[in-house]
Amino acid sequence: MLSEKSRPVIEATLPVIAERIGEITKKFYERLFTNHPELMDGMFSRANQKNGNQQKALAGSIAAFASHLLAHPGTLPEAVLSRIAHKHTSLGVPEAGYPIVYENLFAAIAEDLGDAVTAEVAEAWTEVYWLMADALIKIEKGLYARQANNEMFTPWRVTAKEAAGAGSITFRLAPADATPVTRATPGQYVSVRVRLADGLRQVRQYSLSDAVDSLTERVFTTKLDEGGEVSPFLHGSVNVGDVVELSNPYGDIVLDDSDAPIVLATAGIGCTPSASILQSLARQASDRRVLVLHAEQRAENWALGNQMRSAVEQLPNAELLLWLEEAAAGADAESGFMDLGGVDLPAGAKLYLCGPLPFMRSIRSQAIDAGIPATDIHYEVFGPDVWLAA
Ligand code: HEM
């Protein structure tokens, strides 16, 4: 809990920090990578540094954390911390990294705000930083302790590389060493670490799309991002027989074990976590009410269409509705963007969203208008969560 001494200082300086935090985090990352170039090798994403998304996500999270401490004393923004902690552990972020981030972040704040950073201001924001850092470290320790091994990454061999809709590929992998494997939960992702042609290691998170319960196989599906760094490498240069490194499974947007109805609303490659959730429900022969809503530009782009349709057919209380921006004549789909207007949402449903941010924003607000409480809406963002910053 924020001290009485720091509270008025944070209240007074939050607006200026919030206004400058975009610049501050830019300066922070410049310092961080100058002082610790090794953090770009296999930890931070070079692409997210270039497009500025990681800066926005970090900035958004600190401002959101400070606002939360002011508005809800004695509590922590659990959902925000949980998302970050899962992302951090999937990357193998160590506790020893926190003082390094602190040092470089506060040097950037001092550089940006100059004399405005009095000793009192620095002390109050130091308190905010360590409240957040200690909360993250605690969750991260718990997540690391739940794994079947102490490794951050282990080698996995590609056993199959299958086309999955236009522009997407499904990779199947088997363990390439004897490290015990952690069982994943439907909806989770793994980090995939590869060494790019220029020698730098880069990491991305991919949702497990199949075989989630397996201890001998990991399966993920990736869409080619032509301007990206890792998906073109996976699609073009990683073949059957090659070895890549995978983290243990992480991610907190997972299938719960209640019997409440579920609505899975996805767009494009955002269907991957839903596909594994559906498959897991089908394996359990679940009689939960499941409504699957999916949107694509064109039918042939749907990466896991066959797998998802087959799971829906196996489930006694599941239904699928499809929206296509470019629906061919006679297609069994609505044309245009997904619209909840004519959809009969089951009462008491939990809503899981995954897809591009504008899609999730639109469906989230339509769902709230339709009476689904915000606490029953879960969303998975691919890439840094810039929604936090909004
Ligand atoms: C990602 C916050 C400490 C490494 C993130 C994200 C946030 C965040 C908001 C984006 C999560 C998302 O994907 O939505 C923080 C805060 C910290 C902290 C508030 C301190 C209180 C650290 C430390 C390290 C680290 C100590 C390692 C030295 C990373 C990396 C990513 C990340 C590598 C993913 C970046 C990317 O993919 O571009 N962090 N973090 N963070 N964080 Fe942290």
Side-chain angles (χ1 to χ4, degrees):
M1 182 158 166
L2 194 59
S3 68
E4 284 311 312
K5 187 173 166 217
S6 294
R7 162 171 287 275
V9 183
I10 298 298
E11 257 163 5
T13 51
L14 181 58
V16 55
I17 293 277
E19 194 196 309
R20 296 298 304 165
I21 201 132
E23 273 306 307
I24 292 170
T25 39
K26 214 159 118 197
K27 293 192 169 102
F28 154 65
Y29 280 115
E30 281 162 15
R31 280 178 180 273
L32 186 69
F33 296 128
T34 305
N35 295 334
H36 294 277
E38 74 281 3
L39 289 175
M40 196 52 98
D41 182 25
M43 176 77 71
F44 281 89
S45 150
R46 177 163 60 182
N48 284 340
Q49 289 298 321
K50 278 191 200 138
N51 65 27
N53 279 345
Q54 176 57 19
Q55 276 97 319
K56 279 190 217 147
L58 181 95
S61 79
I62 293 176
F65 186 79
S67 314
H68 183 100
L69 293 180
L70 295 178
H72 309 281
T75 69
L76 293 173
E78 308 289 347
V80 173
L81 294 172
S82 170
R83 163 153 180 117
I84 301 170
H86 277 269
K87 178 64 88 66
H88 278 169
T89 43
S90 83
L91 288 152
V93 165
E95 187 175 348
Y98 282 87
I100 296 173
V101 164
Y102 169 77
E103 209 173 288
N104 289 279
L105 182 60
F106 277 67
I109 293 176
E111 180 192 338
D112 191 75
L113 296 179
D115 293 344
V117 189
T118 59
E120 194 187 33
V121 170
E123 210 177 291
W125 280 95
T126 295
E127 191 183 330
V128 169
Y129 177 86
W130 282 108
L131 278 172
M132 189 163 190
D134 288 340
L136 287 170
I137 290 167
K138 186 171 167 212
I139 306 172
E140 288 162 17
K141 271 192 181 148
L143 292 174
Y144 285 137
R146 264 195 240 160
Q147 307 306 321
N149 58 67
N150 293 321
E151 306 299 325
M152 299 303 164
F153 286 91
T154 54
W156 288 69
R157 192 174 303 282
V158 177
T159 57
K161 190 176 169 187
E162 300 158 354
S168 298
I169 291 181
T170 293
F171 288 86
R172 295 181 177 274
L173 304 102
D177 72 0
T179 310
V181 173
T182 302
R183 196 182 302 281
T185 308
Q188 285 194 308
Y189 55 78
V190 289
S191 282
V192 179
R193 187 162 76 179
V194 292
R195 193 178 290 281
L196 300 179
D198 64 3
L200 191 75
R201 288 176 303 169
Q202 287 285 283
V203 189
R204 290 295 180 276
Q205 291 71 41
Y206 295 111
S207 294
L208 296 170
S209 55
D210 192 4
V212 172
D213 303 333
S214 174
L215 293 180
T216 53
E217 189 179 37
R218 295 273 192 238
V219 184
F220 64 87
T221 303
T222 115
K223 183 180 170 190
L224 179 64
D225 170 6
E226 275 166 14
E229 292 219 67
V230 174
S231 67
F233 183 79
L234 287 171
H235 282 223
S237 305
V238 174
N239 295 306
V240 172
D242 290 346
V243 170
V244 300
E245 292 176 298
L246 301 187
S247 71
N248 285 310
Y250 291 98
D252 58 345
I253 306 301
V254 293
L255 179 62
D256 66 11
D257 51 11
S258 76
D259 54 9
I262 310 168
V263 180
L264 301 168
T266 57
I269 195 65
C271 66
T272 51
S274 291
S276 73
I277 286 178
L278 273 176
Q279 197 182 45
S280 176
L281 288 165
R283 278 216 188 103
Q284 296 160 23
S286 169
D287 59 4
R288 282 173 85 165
R289 169 105 172 81
V290 184
L291 182 56
V292 182
L293 311 174
H294 184 67
E296 279 292 347
Q297 195 178 13
R298 286 183 221 100
E300 61 270 27
N301 292 12
W302 190 4
L304 297 163
N306 291 341
Q307 181 183 321
M308 289 172 72
R309 280 186 197 283
S310 137
V312 167
E313 274 161 24
Q314 289 168 53
L315 287 163
N317 289 314
E319 188 189 350
L320 170 77
L321 299 175
L322 182 64
W323 281 261
L324 296 173
E325 275 172 61
E326 296 165 30
D332 187 10
E334 303 283 334
S335 68
F337 291 128
M338 186 184 292
D339 176 4
L340 300 187
V343 177
D344 190 9
L345 294 170
K350 308 248 182 245
L351 173 60
Y352 292 86
L353 292 173
C354 191
L357 272 188
F359 161 81
M360 293 202 285
R361 284 206 184 97
S362 157
I363 299 303
R364 183 176 185 274
S365 62
Q366 292 182 43
I368 284 175
D369 290 346
I372 299 192
T375 47
D376 284 341
I377 303 177
H378 308 283
Y379 67 89
E380 185 65 273
V381 179
F382 288 169
D385 185 355
V386 291
W387 204 344
L388 282 175

